[in-house]
Amino acid sequence: MSQPDREEHIIRSVKHALEDYNRRNEKSESGITRLYIDDAVTEGLEKEIFIDGELTHFPLRKYNEMLNSMNTVIKEYDKIGKRNKKKDDRHLNKHAMHLVRLFMMGIDILKYQTIRTRRPDDELELLKSIRDGYYMKDSVLNEDFYKVVADYEQRFAEAEKNSRLPDSPDMGKVEEFVESVNRRIINMQ
């Protein structure tokens, strides 16, 4: 993957992390930021991600939390390509298969508001081929695998754009559910 393409992947993930942070913190009106890609100023990069923003009366701890959230995404992307020698090809193929499976399940959730763990035969065939190493040569996932991932990323983005699900979960209902589970566990003891 080219460095500019990699920046595109990173910015999407960082934007999701920032959206999640804002959702959890009820979108402060203190002057939140704009993320974008432009020509790099950092030596060794063609393109890089920039951030614009003006913060006013923004709690330092929340600012630190926001930066840590975005920094975690960048650290994870920096690990890509640095192969974990403890993992053999079989395990890497299995991880690659799960990546595609998670896209499939995410699309189901966004489009149909359902969780489907049993995949249809055509999807199952693709998942098994990934797991069985069809997309790997000399311990490296080939370009065809990345085309499959790009296709599912596009499908996921389209499903997200057209989803009828709310932008944020009803945290009150989530908290009620967690409390009810905890109560049932305590009452079983």
Side-chain angles (χ1 to χ4, degrees), residues 91-109:
H91 285 95
L92 292 173
N93 286 326
K94 189 175 173 187
H95 289 304
M97 176 198 68
H98 286 305
L99 169 68
V100 174
R101 179 188 55 80
L102 288 170
F103 271 121
M104 292 171 174
M105 292 179 72
I107 292 166
D108 286 346
I109 291 168

Side-chain angles (χ1 to χ4, degrees), residues 27-89:
K27 290 194 181 179
S28 170
E29 295 296 320
S30 306
I32 212 58
T33 58
R34 178 176 84 94
L35 295 170
Y36 58 96
I37 295 177
D38 204 349
D39 293 333
V41 297
T42 303
E43 190 174 322
L45 299 178
E46 285 179 59
K47 299 282 186 182
E48 70 181 313
I49 300 167
F50 291 88
I51 185 169
D52 289 342
E54 184 177 313
L55 300 177
T56 305
H57 200 71
F58 197 81
L60 182 59
R61 285 175 182 79
K62 287 198 175 286
Y63 179 73
N64 189 46
E65 184 183 332
M66 179 180 66
L67 285 179
N68 284 339
S69 177
M70 292 186 288
N71 192 36
T72 298
V73 172
I74 293 169
K75 281 183 183 177
E76 290 300 314
Y77 271 93
D78 286 344
K79 289 180 186 178
I80 294 174
K82 294 177 178 72
R83 176 122 186 221
N84 180 347
K85 299 298 181 191
K86 294 177 188 173
K87 296 285 184 193
D88 58 19
D89 290 353

